[in-house]
DNA sequence: GGAAGTACGTACAAAAAGGTAAGTACCAAA
DNA sequence: TTTGGTACTTACCTTTTTGTACGTACTTCC
């Protein structure tokens, strides 16, 4: 973690470096939860939807077909807590809340979406491997 | 999914495009599981560990401190099924099994590790946002 | 009156994921 | 004999996540 960087005054230590050096303890890395938030099903779709700009709760829900209000609320709250989403409340009845990506949110979305798209585009290769593994003459 | 591409003869349709067009149904996207496999706690650490080359089960387990044999087995099996890991069995007693990244595995690992490292390096920003949100004068 | 809209929160249940411990089968060493 | 090594598998339990249904509070429209 970043506390290692402050001790050694070296470049920031990444997860990748720690695995390589065998420094990784079993304690849960706090940034893991951030990774989970941005790669979770509804979290990912929420980020991608918000790339097109400001959305309200209902707009997001319709755009992300199939998400329950509960799960959408949960995802929005987590992403907001991580600093990726800005939530603006207009004090009105009925409620009026707008969600936008923060600059940090735009950055992480680009990266997560790129990964998801790569997997999507290479999924055919994955399917091929799976079919080969399912053949009875393997293992 | 890729079946859309075959219907329209257009460029491959990515998840990102589908969200934008509001084409996303609630049915589970099969490539979702691949994303979950490579971003899961033990899956990610496994991929990163294997970047340094061939490993045996016990080596991986020691390098990835804290993973149970069960979870490591499970992650290796999933990643192998996705085509990211090659598993070579030497028929011997005691068992001798070697794991390596496939070319596809190297590609996905680069991408996932880059994302994880980005989150790690920007985690301090996330922390700052969280502290601000925890202040009693917010919301 | 009910229905629709807004954006949630809550209670409980169901499903999924993960953890612990023991087992497998053979060999070698203490 | 026990212990340690190898790489899993299995049974059972616990924890986490997700889903369903209902509730909140106000306005407008039929």
């Amino acid at each position: 973690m970043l506390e290692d960087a402050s001790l050694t005054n070296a470049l920031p230590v990444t997860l990748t470096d720690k695995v390589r050096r065998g420094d990784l303890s079993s304690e849960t890395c706090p940034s893991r939860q951030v990774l989970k938030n941005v790669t979770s099903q509804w979290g990912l779709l929420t980020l991608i939807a918000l790339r097109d700009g400001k959305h309200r709760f209902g707009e997001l829900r319709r755009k992300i077909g199939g998400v329950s209000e509960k799960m959408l609320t949960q995802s929005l709250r987590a992403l907001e807590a991580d600093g990726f989403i800005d939530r603006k409340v207009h004090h009105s009845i009925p409620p009026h809340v707008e969600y936008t990506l923060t600059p940090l949110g735009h950055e992480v979305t680009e990266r997560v979406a790129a990964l998801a798209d790569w997997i999507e585009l290479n999924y055919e290769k994955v399917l091929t491997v799976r079919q080969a593994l399912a053949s009875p003459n393997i293992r």
Side-chain angles (χ1 to χ4, degrees), chain A:
Chain A
M1 316 287 131
L2 294 182
E3 59 264 24
D4 288 345
S6 60
L7 287 177
T8 62
N9 288 318
L11 289 176
V13 181
T14 64
L15 175 67
T16 313
D17 295 330
K18 297 204 69 172
V19 175
R20 183 155 291 155
R21 293 179 338 204
D23 279 359
L24 201 64
S25 69
S26 63
E27 71 186 37
T28 305
C29 174
S31 66
R32 264 218 59 67
Q33 188 57 53
V34 178
L35 180 63
K36 287 189 73 171
N37 291 340
V38 300
T39 56
S40 68
Q41 177 172 6
W42 307 121
L44 171 63
L45 296 181
T46 300
L47 289 173
I48 291 172
L50 283 173
R51 272 187 356 175
D52 295 338
K54 183 187 305 183
H55 280 72
R56 292 178 65 180
F57 187 88
E59 290 173 308
L60 281 173
R61 187 147 181 246
R62 285 186 291 276
K63 197 164 192 177
I64 309 171
V67 64
S68 67
E69 297 177 345
K70 175 183 173 178
M71 292 314 300
L72 180 55
T73 301
Q74 196 164 300
S75 297
L76 287 166
R77 291 293 178 155
L79 294 171
E80 183 198 0
D82 291 342
F84 299 136
I85 284 184
D86 196 38
R87 174 172 174 272
K88 180 185 290 189
V89 183
H90 299 249
H91 293 285
S92 68
I93 295 291
H96 181 122
V97 183
E98 291 167 349
Y99 296 93
T100 55
L101 286 180
T102 62
L104 205 59
H106 274 286
E107 283 199 55
V108 77
T109 304
E110 289 304 315
R111 287 168 162 77
V112 179
L115 172 61
D117 287 345
W118 183 92
I119 291 176
E120 192 86 26
L121 293 175
N122 286 274
Y123 187 60
E124 192 173 280
K125 293 180 189 172
V126 172
L127 276 184
T128 306
V129 171
R130 279 185 177 162
Q131 282 157 11
L133 289 176
S135 304
N137 64 337
I138 299 288
R139 191 177 307 123

